[in-house]
Amino acid sequence: MSPLAENSGPDIIAAVIGLGSMGLGMAQSMKRAGLDVVGYDITPAAVDRFIADGGRGVATPAAAAKDADIVVSVVVNGAQTEAVLFGPEGVAHAMKPGAVFVSSATMDPAVARDLAGRVEALGLHYLDAPISGGAAKAARGELTVMASGSKQAFDTARPGLEAMAAKVYELGDEAGKGAAFKMINQLLAGVHIAAACEAITFAAKQGLDLDTVYEVITASAGNSWMFENRVPHVLAGDYTPLSSIEIFVKDLGIVQDMARFERYPVPLAAAALQMYLAASGAGMGRDDDSSLARVYAKLSGAELPSSTKEPLSL
């Protein structure tokens, strides 16, 4: 957290719409930095959790946004972002002039540009600011933010960004650039998870000791951040969702749409998407994305470690 965040002061009001694993950590990080933070979530229990942590909670997005200088939307996709902005009790017509809407959802760059235009027509600022780093980094205020928007949008959002992120990349003055960078990240992340699951299950099929495989690969050139992060879930037989299969059904689907529009081939992303679709179709859509290993195991007869926990869907 930077000194700027620590000195932001209570006069800045930030609203967080979406208090899931990412949004809650982002709200807590801004609160620690001295901002006055109010939160909303469609699930009342999530709001109650934030209140128990010392935050303020409200019953609608509009109520969260009405006095805020910074409104951070931490939802899943473009459709949900549009609903946060323009749906019943949406924030767009509740925000005060000159406030900034910070969109952290992963979406098609064209959707981000459209939403930005509609928001800016109301005298508001829009920052296209998808995030990366996971729930643990969100809780520590150490996210990576890939942001694009006007200078005014960046300036207004700065205290919140500094509180939530270890790295803020300023990628241009036009909404959509941040979204495009995030989709490149998601292409790689989705393919790397699929490759990690394919590799560890192939090792199981050969009867190798999987703990030793993990030790050797993480010390070798074939390692990746996703192998190192996701394979322990497989070794533990624990598919509790930290990032779900459906996230990559969505994100690699967006990659396919973008690539088709550009007439650009993405065969590796396409193959990975088919595996996520297979996992979702098998009932694992809400399980951890490392569940791809279970699909490979079912297809091949490989045996993976099991957990004493109640089994997830399969």
Side-chain angles (χ1 to χ4, degrees):
M1 187 183 303
S2 75
L4 176 60
E6 292 172 354
N7 295 323
S8 294
D11 293 334
I12 297 174
I13 300 175
V16 177
I17 312 300
L19 294 170
S21 58
M22 297 294 287
L24 178 62
M26 293 160 75
Q28 291 169 332
S29 294
M30 287 192 287
K31 183 176 172 295
R32 283 197 308 273
L35 280 69
D36 181 4
V37 185
V38 56
Y40 166 79
D41 194 278
I42 195 170
T43 304
V47 180
D48 292 342
R49 186 167 62 244
F50 183 53
I51 293 172
D53 288 337
R56 294 195 290 128
V58 292
T60 68
K66 68 182 180 69
D67 296 318
D69 304 286
I70 305 166
V71 177
V72 183
S73 175
V74 197
V75 295
V76 172
N77 55 27
Q80 289 188 6
T81 303
E82 183 174 27
V84 166
L85 281 164
F86 301 109
E89 295 292 337
V91 305
H93 294 286
M95 292 170 65
K96 62 186 184 182
V100 62
F101 182 83
V102 179
S103 173
S104 294
T106 302
M107 66 182 75
D108 189 305
V111 174
R113 287 190 291 270
D114 175 69
L115 292 175
R118 293 163 64 186
V119 167
E120 289 165 356
L122 299 173
L124 306 169
H125 302 300
Y126 184 102
L127 195 68
D128 174 21
I131 54 179
S132 183
K137 287 190 175 182
R140 297 196 299 267
E142 296 176 356
L143 290 171
T144 295
V145 178
M146 298 163 247
S148 63
S150 68
K151 181 181 184 301
Q152 294 88 343
F154 273 108
D155 288 346
T156 306
R158 187 81 58 195
L161 296 174
E162 293 283 356
M164 296 183 291
K167 294 182 179 179
V168 179
Y169 290 99
E170 299 187 21
L171 302 171
D173 58 7
E174 178 187 4
K177 291 290 187 185
F181 272 82
K182 179 62 184 290
M183 293 319 306
I184 300 301
N185 181 79
Q186 294 306 92
L187 185 161
L188 289 165
V191 169
H192 288 174
I193 292 167
C197 291
E198 182 174 302
I200 197 65
T201 312
F202 188 37
K205 182 66 175 177
Q206 296 178 79
L208 303 181
D209 179 82
L210 298 188
D211 289 326
T212 304
V213 170
Y214 181 76
E215 180 181 351
V216 170
I217 296 302
T218 54
S220 303
N223 189 34
S224 68
W225 191 92
M226 285 300 186
F227 185 95
E228 195 161 343
N229 183 265
R230 296 308 203 266
V231 168
H233 305 180
V234 179
L235 300 183
D238 183 359
Y239 300 95
T240 303
L242 300 179
S243 173
S244 74
I245 288 288
E246 289 297 343
I247 292 293
F248 283 99
V249 170
K250 169 182 69 76
D251 290 355
L252 291 182
I254 294 172
V255 169
Q256 295 298 307
D257 291 342
M258 293 168 63
R260 183 167 54 249
F261 180 80
E262 297 287 351
R263 298 298 187 265
Y264 182 83
V266 284
L268 298 182
L273 174 59
Q274 294 305 308
M275 294 305 297
Y276 290 103
L277 287 168
S280 180
M284 292 182 275
R286 295 183 180 275
D287 295 346
D288 193 74
D289 51 34
S290 59
S291 291
L292 288 192
R294 293 193 287 170
V295 177
Y296 280 108
K298 283 291 184 182
L299 291 172
S300 67
E303 291 190 12
L304 294 174
S306 59
S307 172
T308 57
K309 290 187 175 184
E310 183 177 343
L312 298 169
S313 24
L314 182 61

